[in-house]
Amino acid sequence: MKKLNFIGIGGATNIELGGNCCYLKDNDNLLFIDMCESATERLEKEEVFKDVKNIYIAITHTHFDHVAGLGVFIWYCNFYLNISPKIIYSNFKYKCHLKKLLKLTGVDKKYVEFIKDSSFKIDDLTLNMHPTTHTPKLQCFGIMFEDKNGKYYYTGDTNDINYIKALCEDETVKTIYTEVATETYDVHIKYDDIVNLDKEKLVLMHFDTMELYSKAQKDGFEIACRKGCDIHE
């Protein structure tokens, strides 16, 4: 699987690192995970839309820092690219939740399609939206990718450290993109809890402070890359 390309790797209030969201481009297919406020502008400047025919979006949860740019992005896709993006969903309740969100922000249903996660496939790459714990009032998901080389997990926002530990011990899982925070606030993964886990698998993102970002670098962790399409070994 190609490495995920990050638009930003900051937590909700870490303006310097930007909103945490990313994309994967494969030939004429483009997949996004979450959509921060500045996403469309950043993607246009980086010419990410060049030669794209199919656009997919997976939303891990509906906190503002993960969906603030979704409406503008859908409009841009339709009015400038003549593409109706497809939003990937896990269950009917979550689909209804996303539809309500779009309606409240003025996005007509004709501008977007919905596809079940089990129906998503780019070449041999599949994904499954894995329910996770984050905040009690929202459905929240991590995303498990799989191709011929193995599995790759994206945590979304989560506080489930036990699942991360289990994935580190799973030989089929090649890479884990995980959020980290200085403090958990009961909804995030605390950096101190992952610092001794397998650095060969972990890629860190969603830093709540610049101090934590710098510490993770000094401790030898791989940091989610905001540009590039290197292949995972």
Side-chain angles (χ1 to χ4, degrees):
M1 177 180 146
K2 292 182 178 180
K3 281 189 177 181
L4 296 174
N5 299 271
F6 283 73
I7 297 168
I9 56 173
T13 57
N14 192 337
I15 297 174
E16 189 168 352
L17 290 180
N20 200 101
C21 60
C22 59
Y23 66 90
L24 178 67
K25 188 173 183 179
D26 186 77
N27 297 318
D28 58 0
N29 297 298
L30 201 53
L31 168 66
F32 294 91
I33 302 177
D34 293 336
M35 197 62 61
C36 69
E37 186 174 7
S38 61
T40 302
E41 180 182 4
R42 288 282 304 278
L43 293 164
E44 175 59 29
K45 286 182 177 179
E46 294 178 17
E47 298 184 342
V48 174
F49 300 113
K50 185 178 181 181
D51 300 322
V52 168
K53 294 181 180 179
N54 304 297
I55 296 177
Y56 305 90
I57 308 167
I59 300 296
T60 61
H61 64 296
T62 55
H63 275 157
F64 76 94
D65 53 319
H66 294 260
V67 297
L70 182 59
V72 169
F73 179 75
I74 292 172
W75 283 338
Y76 183 88
C77 289
N78 279 271
F79 301 145
Y80 289 89
L81 305 178
N82 294 315
I83 298 173
S84 292
K86 297 178 175 65
I87 294 181
I88 303 165
Y89 69 96
S90 175
N91 57 61
F92 180 74
K93 182 180 178 181
Y94 193 55
K95 178 182 178 181
C96 292
H97 192 51
L98 292 172
K99 282 187 172 182
K100 183 176 181 180
L101 172 68
L102 293 176
K103 184 177 181 180
L104 289 170
T105 55
V107 178
D108 194 284
K109 60 183 180 181
K110 67 183 178 182
Y111 295 128
V112 65
E113 300 177 44
F114 285 83
I115 64 168
K116 192 78 167 60
D117 55 354
S118 58
S119 299
F120 173 86
K121 191 175 181 67
I122 296 178
D123 292 331
D124 68 336
L125 179 67
T126 62
L127 70 79
N128 174 259
M129 299 188 72
H130 178 88
T132 190
T133 53
H134 175 42
T135 56
K137 295 183 179 181
L138 291 180
Q139 284 197 75
C140 302
F141 300 91
I143 299 175
M144 183 68 78
F145 297 94
E146 187 169 3
D147 62 15
K148 63 184 178 181
N149 297 314
K151 299 176 182 177
Y152 312 82
Y153 188 68
Y154 182 97
T155 64
D157 284 5
T158 186
N159 58 12
D160 192 351
I161 182 61
N162 290 328
Y163 188 64
I164 305 305
K165 290 179 178 178
L167 292 180
C168 283
E169 297 175 359
D170 186 338
E171 294 182 358
T172 67
V173 177
K174 305 302 181 183
T175 303
I176 305 165
Y177 293 90
T178 183
E179 61 121 277
V180 288
T182 308
E183 297 294 338
T184 67
Y185 316 108
D186 295 324
V187 296
H188 292 291
I189 297 290
K190 190 172 183 178
Y191 179 77
D192 290 348
D193 290 334
I194 63 98
V195 71
N196 292 318
L197 298 183
D198 189 353
K199 287 186 172 68
E200 295 299 316
K201 284 191 176 184
L202 295 175
V203 181
L204 305 190
M205 61 182 189
H206 205 278
F207 297 93
D208 58 342
T209 67
M210 292 305 298
E211 289 77 14
L212 182 59
Y213 172 71
S214 298
K215 179 174 175 55
Q217 288 181 308
K218 291 178 181 178
D219 287 344
F221 280 100
E222 182 177 352
I223 307 301
C225 183
R226 285 191 270 184
K227 284 187 177 182
C229 293
D230 296 332
I231 303 296
H232 286 304
E233 297 295 340

